[in-house]
Amino acid sequence: MRHGGGEVGTVAVQLPDVPRVALGEYPTPLEYAVRLSRLLGGPDIYIKRDDTGALGLGGNKLRKLEYLLGDALAQRADAVITCGAGQSNHARLTAAAARKLGLQPYLVLRGTGTEEAQGNLLLDRLLGAEIVWTPDATPADLMEAARQLAISLRREGRRPYVIPYGGSGPLGVLAYVRAAYELAEQARARGLTFDAIITSSSSGATQAGLALGRWLTGMPGRVWGMSADLGQEVLTEQVAQLAAQATDLLGCGPLPHDEIVVFDRYVGEGYGQITDACREAILTLARTEGIFLDPVYTGKAMAGLMDLIDYGTLRPGQSVVFFHTGGVPALFANAAGVLGEAAAP
Ligand SMILES: *Cc1c(COP(=O)(O)O)cnc(C)c1O
């Protein structure tokens, strides 16, 4: 059953009235990738440019931070703590947004602290974020370290706000429900319908929000999450839990389980380990559209899209949207991996 039963693409469930600060420029562009579509010979491919955004070089975490830092300001925080991988885009954007709002950024990062200041880490340093290094940590370990840091800062009389790993909590999901509404409005205005909405997926809020928003608008085309690290079952469960937290906030019924579609076959050896198909996808998009993908998330998601065209799952006559979630600074920390043999002088 469709909520509201109105015109496809109309908003049936209002977003809850919770604090939000403006950090990005929305709506982000929805661009038809004409040369890429022609080269691949499959569906018409549209790219939703969530990689654009003036603040901190942009990316999907900016949408989540609008709600998360709105909440932090409402709680009168004076510092923000978050955590992530050494090359975390989320950490970089949290630090940039914190600076813009006059909050002190603290980052708990996986690594030894001996890593070269390149890519996101270079930007974290320019932003003057306080970095706490944690070797070999899982996301849960990193979150625990972030909570411990919050306790010690509170003892010093500070008011830290802790943002979950990847910004993935109910507020992060809400931000991507909003993004789905935004896409539905763009599609409606341009008379477009989509057979699939493709996004990179890792901590899960982007996919959960898009899936929930798509379902609520009745816009056609399931959301397909291309995992950057987790196996299909684990990520599906994580997305389901996040969606459930957000339906509480939205006051709508539960997201049907079959709305969550996860592919884990483009991960390769693991998080941040580049694959040949990822490298190929990065080069292909750069050389057809002049758009850069990243080696950790969007390169693998685009490799998935290209594979599904090769396989005939996505066909000529169809239309798909590829969410470009950002991450480009990580290219600069992976030159040899991205260029492969071509990196040799
Ligand atoms: C974090 C991130 C993702 C994944 O988003 P989640 O909400 O964590 O699943 C995808 N692409 C880029 C570039 C990211 O930084």
Side-chain angles (χ1 to χ4, degrees):
M1 199 190 77
R2 298 271 183 240
H3 288 259
E7 186 190 351
V8 164
T10 56
V11 168
V13 172
Q14 291 297 322
L15 295 169
D17 190 19
V18 297
R20 185 170 70 91
V21 287
L23 297 174
E25 238 345 281
Y26 302 104
T28 56
L30 177 67
E31 296 174 350
Y32 175 44
V34 57
R35 287 174 193 284
L36 178 71
S37 303
R38 237 185 252 153
L39 177 76
L40 299 179
D44 286 336
I45 301 168
Y46 289 79
I47 303 183
K48 178 71 170 150
R49 299 295 306 272
D50 271 24
D51 59 315
T52 61
L55 183 64
L57 298 182
N60 67 334
K61 304 311 183 303
L62 216 46
R63 284 190 193 267
K64 302 181 185 184
L65 287 163
E66 290 200 327
Y67 279 118
L68 290 159
L69 292 178
D71 191 37
L73 292 181
Q75 295 187 25
R76 305 194 163 279
D78 62 7
V80 178
I81 305 173
T82 198
C83 59
Q87 280 294 329
S88 168
N89 300 304
H90 167 65
R92 177 244 313 166
L93 281 167
T94 300
R99 285 306 192 193
K100 183 176 168 67
L101 299 173
L103 307 169
Q104 174 68 41
Y106 290 84
L107 306 177
V108 176
L109 301 182
R110 178 165 55 237
T112 57
T114 57
E115 290 81 357
E116 194 191 354
Q118 252 306 354
N120 283 298
L121 187 53
L122 168 62
L123 303 177
D124 296 342
R125 295 235 192 263
L126 292 179
L127 291 161
E130 299 273 351
I131 301 178
V132 177
W133 290 101
T134 315
D136 302 321
T138 63
D141 297 336
L142 292 167
M143 267 312 282
E144 183 50 34
R147 277 190 288 266
Q148 291 302 326
L149 177 59
I151 291 170
S152 61
L153 288 176
R154 276 188 204 107
R155 277 199 202 110
E156 295 167 15
R158 306 290 303 279
R159 293 189 307 276
Y161 181 89
V162 180
I163 293 180
Y165 186 85
S168 281
L171 293 176
V173 178
L174 199 56
Y176 266 86
V177 172
R178 190 183 188 89
Y181 285 14
E182 180 182 303
L183 175 67
E185 174 53 29
Q186 285 175 313
R188 193 195 55 75
R190 287 161 65 175
L192 299 169
T193 56
F194 299 113
D195 297 279
I197 299 167
I198 290 165
T199 182
S200 171
S201 189
S202 178
S203 64
T206 301
Q207 184 176 358
L210 288 178
L212 197 51
R214 186 216 74 80
W215 177 63
L216 289 171
T217 58
M219 176 171 44
R222 289 284 158 85
V223 176
W224 296 358
M226 301 291 174
S227 178
D229 43 5
L230 298 175
Q232 183 178 36
E233 261 176 59
V234 177
L235 183 53
T236 302
E237 183 50 33
Q238 198 158 304
V239 170
Q241 281 180 13
L242 284 162
Q245 291 170 18
T247 50
D248 287 348
L249 261 179
L250 283 158
C252 64
L255 180 70
H257 207 68
D258 64 0
E259 291 287 334
I260 303 172
V261 181
V262 168
F263 292 81
D264 65 4
R265 69 177 101 109
Y266 309 107
V267 174
E269 290 186 14
Y271 180 83
Q273 306 288 311
I274 198 161
T275 61
D276 289 342
C278 172
R279 189 180 296 122
E280 180 72 28
I282 292 172
L283 296 183
T284 301
L285 192 65
R287 292 170 189 191
T288 50
E289 301 290 341
I291 296 175
F292 299 114
L293 295 170
D294 84 286
V296 181
Y297 299 97
T298 54
K300 288 181 180 177
M302 181 59 82
L305 170 55
M306 289 167 63
D307 185 58
L308 293 172
I309 293 171
D310 272 351
Y311 198 72
T313 308
L314 292 169
R315 301 178 301 277
Q318 296 184 318
S319 290
V320 300
V321 184
F322 178 85
F323 258 81
H324 190 334
T325 46
V328 172
L331 277 178
F332 303 106
N334 286 280
V338 174
L339 288 172
E341 283 161 15

